[in-house]
Structures are given as C-alpha cells and as structure tokens.
Amino acid sequence: MAVVNVIINGQKVQAQSGQTVLQAAKAAGIDIPTLCHHPALKPESICRMCVVEVERQRVLQPACTFPVAEGMVIHTESEKVVAARKMVLHLLFSQRLHYCMYCTESGSADDAECELQRLAYRYGLDSWKLAPNTLKRWPVDASHAYFIMDHNRCIMCRRCVRACNEIVANHTLSISGRGARTMIIADDDVPFGESSCVSCGTCLQVCPTGALIDRRSAYMGHGAAMERTKTTCMACAVGCGIKAVTRSNILHRVEGDWDAANGGLLCVDGRFEAVEARSQRVTLPLLRQNGSLVETTWDEALAVVANRMRAAKTVAGLVSPRTTTESLTSFKRFFSDVLKSKQLALFGAAVPPLDIGAFASLKELPLSDCVVIVGGNPLYEQKVLAYLTRRAVDHGASLIIVNNSPTDLDRQARLTLRFDELVQVQSVVEAAERPVVLYAPGLSADVYTMLRAWPSKVHFMPLVKGTNAVAAARLNLLSKPVHGEVLYVLAADDLPQGQELPKASFTIVQAAYHSQWTEQADVVLPAQVWTEKNGHIVNVEDRELPVVACTQPPAGVPADDVAFGILTIEMGKPQPAEASMTVTR
Amino acid sequence: MAAKIKIASDWLAGCAGCHMSFLDIDERIVNLIEKADLTATPITDLKHPSPEGVDVGILEGAVNNSTTEHVARQMRERSRILIALGDCAVFGGIVTMRNFVHTDDALRRAYIETESTVNGRIPRHEDLAVMQNARAIDQVVPVDIYIPGCPPSADAIYYVLSELLAGRMPVLQGKFLDWH
C-alpha cells in the first residue's frame, strides 16, 4: 500500500493510501471526536461531529469518510471546526428531548455512558442555544422483553440500524420518514417486542445515548461504579468473548467483547438470559433424612458420600458440560483413577466426531464464500454461528443446507438438500475459495465419512451442544447411559431440560440450583454458577478460552472440583496435588 | 469603601439542592460577603429582590406554572446579571418528567394515588397557580450565566461568584462543568 504524506495540526503524518482522515489521525495519536461512527461499523458520516478543516476544500469534511491524499493539510481543532462541532451538538440536543438528569446513561466517566453528553462537556456546552420543543413527545417503546427504545433520546446516528444489518445480519431495524420526522423502526414499524428481533442486544451495545437501554441494568449504578471482567460466555459451545459488568458482587449486564473472535456479537442466551438467576440457589450441603432434605455440613455430607461409595460395587458419574476443563479433568480422574469406574459420562450434551478436518474459526465464518450446514439448527442452538452465517450470505456467500427436516436458515439458503444428496455438495465446496462446513452431532457414519473426504481447504465447525463438551470429548467423556449402585451427578449450574437421571440406590447431585434432580437426590452438594468459576473451556473452534470469575460465590460454595479432592482423602486414597484446596465453611 | 455587590436568589420548581450546594461553599461565604450583600434569598428568608434592583440574581429550578413564571420574570427585571443555577434552571431538569404525562394524570398521581395518601383530593382554586409545561428559565427570560449540574458543585458556584466579584465574566469548563 502506498504511503501518503499529510500534515495534521502541523504534524507530519505518514498515512496509507485508502485510509480515511480519521484512521490516519488515530494512527498518529490525534483524537478526532466521533458520534455516529463506530469501529465495528461502516462509516456513514451522518452526524458531522468529526468534521475537520482540509485546506483547499471548500467546506469542512467528515473525517470518518474523507480519504487522505498526498500533501493534504488538515486541521482537526481549528476555530472553524470547533464552532461547527458546537453547532452540531446544539442541533442534536434541540431535535428531541435530551434531559440528562433522569437518563441512565448520564455520566462521563465510563465508555458505555452517553457519548453525546461527553462531547457536550468536551466542547464546553453549558446550556442549549436552541431550546427543544417541550410540547412535543416522542414515543417510548417498552414492548421488548429485554430493552426499551426511548425515541426522545435518539440522535439518528443509525448505529443500531447498521449493527442490526452489518453485525447480526438480521435486518430488523431500519429508518422511516425524512428530516425531523425520521424514526428508527423495527420491521414494518411494529413494536420492537413484536418484531423479527432476535434479542441479540447488539443495538443496545452500540447506542451512544440513552435511546436503547437494557431493562435489567438501567439505573443500577453509575458507570464509574461498574466493574468489567473479560471472560468467556458459558451459555453454549460457541464461547463468545464477553465483558461481565458487575457492581457489588452482582452481575448487571453482559457486553460483547469487540476484540474477541465473535467481534462483540452475542445472542439472547449470552447477553440477557445469562444474567438471570436460573432457579433457587443451593448454598449448603443437604442430606436426605426421613424422606426430606436437611441442611448439613460439608464434613458430614462428604463422609456419608464416601461411605456409600466405599460400600458400593459400582459408582456411576454424570457430568454437565457447563463446567470448566479443570473440573471435568478432576471428575474424570476421580472416577477413573480413584473409583476405577468405567460408568462415567457426559450428559445434556452432544458432540459430533472432531476428526473431520481442519477446524474453522469464528473469524473466517462470515468471510466464507460457501457455507454448508449439515444437520442441526444453529439459529436455535448456536445462534451466533447462524448470525455469522447470515453475514456471510449478505456478502454473497452461497449457503447450502443439508438436512431432512426444515431449519430456520432455509430461507437464506441457495440450495437445500437431503442427507442422501450430500454427494452433490462436494463439487460446490471444491469450486469455492473459503468453504466452511458446520456439521451436527448424531448424523449417520456415512455422512461423516463423506465429509472427511472433502479437500483440505474446507474448514469444519462442529455444532456441539453443551458449553464445554469439546473439552469433555477430548477427555473421552462421552454421552452414554451409565449404571451404578451409587450415582454422582455434577450438574454445575445446569438445569434439567427433560433429562431424567438414571435410577440408583443412592444419588448425589452437586448443583448450583434446586431442580427436579436435587429433589430426587440423597445428598445435594452446592456448586458454583458460571460467574463464579475460574478456569477454561474449549469451544467449537477447538480453542481453549479463559473463564474468569466476576462474582464471588456464596460462603461455603467451593469450585466444582474441590469435593473430589476431599472425597479422595475420605476414601483413604492419596490426594492428587492439584486438589489440595480446602472447602470454606 | 466601594458599594457592595447586591446578590439575590430564589427558587422556582426545584428541590433546594442547588441552594444547599451554594451553602456548601462553607467558610468561603465570608470572602463573598466581604464584597457582596446577600439580599433577598431563601437563605436569608427575605422574599422578592429589591425593586431598586440587584447586581446578580440567581434562580434555581424550572419554570412550571404561572407563579414560577412570574418569579422568573421579576428576578430578570430586577437583576443586572441573571444566573440559572442547576440542571432544572438550565435545561428544565427532573421537573420536565411531568411533561411526558397529561397534567390531570400527574395531579391524580401526586394528590390521590401516592402510597402515603389517604382520602386525597386535587386542590383546585382560582388563586392557585396555573400549571404549564416545565421548561428551562431561558425559554421564558434571557439568562446571562449558566451553571449546570444536579446539583452544581460548591466549587463551581464559588468560582462563578468570585469571578463576577472580581469583575470578570466566568466561563465554566472542565470539572466545573462536568459535575458527575
């Protein structure tokens, strides 16, 4: 790429040809304020906040879209520029009803708070030159389960519209009307809650003002009081990078991590459902006495468990994939090495063969020119993968769906085939440059055999069900029926979705939440929820991702694998070095 | 000794928080009253600025009915320099929340439906002020100096007054402007 020499504020800057003034300035450490611009979205120069003076140009130019050229002389904070930016701010404030005092986004300490207000402070606005019309009110759309659209606070930057189109490829949001009557609308101007919205919440995350606000975290604390923890979503096996927003040990909100492979994109499960407590918490060990569960101590509970295990001929173990690789490893070691049991399995998960070919990455999926989905229904089960697929389709990729039943992505597909027609796809992927195949578990062996024979340029992504099921599969923990006199279930923060536990004469359930599983247990041990865990998970890219605790567990609830270390001692066997932690009581 | 600068203040539809913040200048008030007279203010409990006029008039709160509009107009007429103190005075503030509901709904909520009210009734009398849409003071009369904030910091208030007493027109920037 050719180097272009420009002068910004008297400073010689070497830019790349094709860069915008904003990009060149940013690379040189010169800050130009923006409002409608967002790094994850295509620039559209809507708001005019970023105008700069370019010598020999008749009028001020928007830095976000104006390309640099050789010898260009640019002034980013000249008197003329500052006056124009102040005017832009006065116009923005006058258009609708921006009363900061009762807006949850008010406050300038935090990046997530109001960008409009921050710019007003930066340019010294102490009042409004142009008073808003106090007789006019814009609608507040509170029809959506997870967020509110307050049109009074909208500045028409269209970030939400662009995010819905460019990032999520859902095309729910758009614009209606012209001039002062311009409105953000969902679908054909229906209430947000009744629209085709998939509740991914990306629009909330890009909104620079208080127009789109999260129902749950609104007014729950000043941005400066909120802590952000970079971690990994544990809602499914996609393993999206997130920032958990907490205050006083409470998870208030989940934001997508722009720097992670998912590029800020999340789904309803990761962003909204993950914040909700899933059921009533188990905080103390429980022991069944005379038919009902009674609170007890860890010492007593584990002594009972150890006695039962010692006496039993076989002990079966079931583990949920909603736990860390570290806990899965401890589980495996305890059952294989200490109990010498072969009756151990993963439950609530499904993993297809992982040796089909090279793994595809989340980053390459939206850039693929040919996406093949063999089985499964990602829009239902691995939602972010479906959004990334639709993004690829928007960029011109052909989508081929191979399935005997209809899927939610059929409408976007160029071709829908049955499994016995899979052979037709081979020539298509061979002709493609960057083919990606998403393949489901539970298909016939012939299908996997055929996929294995495809050329090496084809990259594969397993449509794994269960958060850390890939790591479990690597540990040879598979979904299969188990039998034992005593049954130990590490449910973590999983909840039964129709799965019945196998019958056993004595059942131990280690769970974060009360459920029908704990109801049928003889001993219940507390477990941590996803926000309390530290460790790793392995996602559908076969990548190990960090899980970082963002809240503290209730007193006496140790990491999921601590019980195994203590049980190992109780069973009179040497304790493995890794499990030397003690239980806090 | 030169005549002291005369300061008057009053509040409209406000919560008195800005006047509290004014009092938070603490002992610096001694510096102020060396050069200025605090005439009619809610702090001195003297009503109405003198008909001869004052040098600096300070108003807290939004204009929201015929009475507050009258108070604002009187303060404007009698002040050489008028200061809008706090977000309600500068922008309309919290008071503007009422604009989003019908007047009758607001009255019913306030006088009948509030949880602590028993047998409430909406006061109606010809002598009572007539409700208006809540708005900033400069939507009614011209304002010379704005001190935004909910409330503005005592430092910002002291800065503005001491600049005026030194014969300069204050310009609020940085921490004086961003009160969060």
Side-chain angles (χ1 to χ4, degrees), chain B residues 3-37:
Chain B
K4 281 188 172 182
I5 302 281
K6 286 193 172 65
I7 298 176
S9 79
D10 209 339
W11 59 55
L12 314 175
C15 68
C18 295
H19 273 78
M20 291 295 192
S21 202
F22 178 27
L23 286 177
D24 281 342
I25 67 174
D26 298 335
E27 74 281 4
R28 287 175 292 183
I29 202 164
V30 176
N31 305 341
L32 281 188
I33 56 176
E34 276 172 6
K35 293 179 189 164
D37 271 336

Side-chain angles (χ1 to χ4, degrees), chain A residues 126-146:
Chain A
D126 61 4
S127 60
W128 294 330
K129 247 189 210 152
L130 306 159
N133 180 359
T134 55
L135 296 173
K136 176 106 178 127
R137 289 150 196 75
W138 277 264
V140 177
D141 186 339
S143 60
H144 199 283
Y146 299 106

Side-chain angles (χ1 to χ4, degrees), chain A residues 16-54:
Chain A
Q16 305 291 321
S17 74
Q19 270 188 326
T20 62
V21 171
L22 181 67
Q23 288 167 331
K26 196 178 176 197
I30 297 163
D31 180 33
I32 298 175
T34 55
L35 197 51
C36 71
H37 179 72
H38 190 281
L41 302 169
K42 285 193 209 104
E44 283 197 355
S45 58
I46 295 162
C47 72
R48 303 277 143 175
M49 238 353 264
C50 68
V51 285
V52 292
E53 200 172 347
V54 180

Side-chain angles (χ1 to χ4, degrees), chain A residues 42 160-175 185-188 195-198 200 387 390-395 411-412:
Chain A
K42 285 193 209 104
C160 55
V161 176
R162 286 178 284 155
C164 196
N165 292 337
E166 295 173 23
I167 299 181
V168 204
N170 206 55
H171 308 282
T172 297
L173 298 181
S174 61
I175 294 284
I185 58 163
D187 293 341
D188 214 1
S195 70
S196 60
C197 171
V198 289
C200 70
Y387 308 152
R390 291 210 285 214
R391 210 195 288 174
V393 172
D394 280 358
H395 295 160
R411 233 156 43 105
Q412 275 87 24

Side-chain angles (χ1 to χ4, degrees), chain A residues 457-472:
Chain A
K457 69 173 170 186
V458 186
H459 289 181
F460 293 90
M461 185 170 276
L463 294 173
V464 171
K465 281 185 219 171
T467 308
N468 201 12
V470 174

Side-chain angles (χ1 to χ4, degrees), chain A residues 101-102 106 108 121 134-135 137, chain B residues 93 96 99 133 177-178 180:
Chain A
M101 316 84 217
Y102 46 91
S106 180
S108 52
Y121 282 133
T134 55
L135 296 173
R137 289 150 196 75
Chain B
T96 60
N99 296 350
N133 250 352
L177 199 54
D178 187 350
H180 284 94

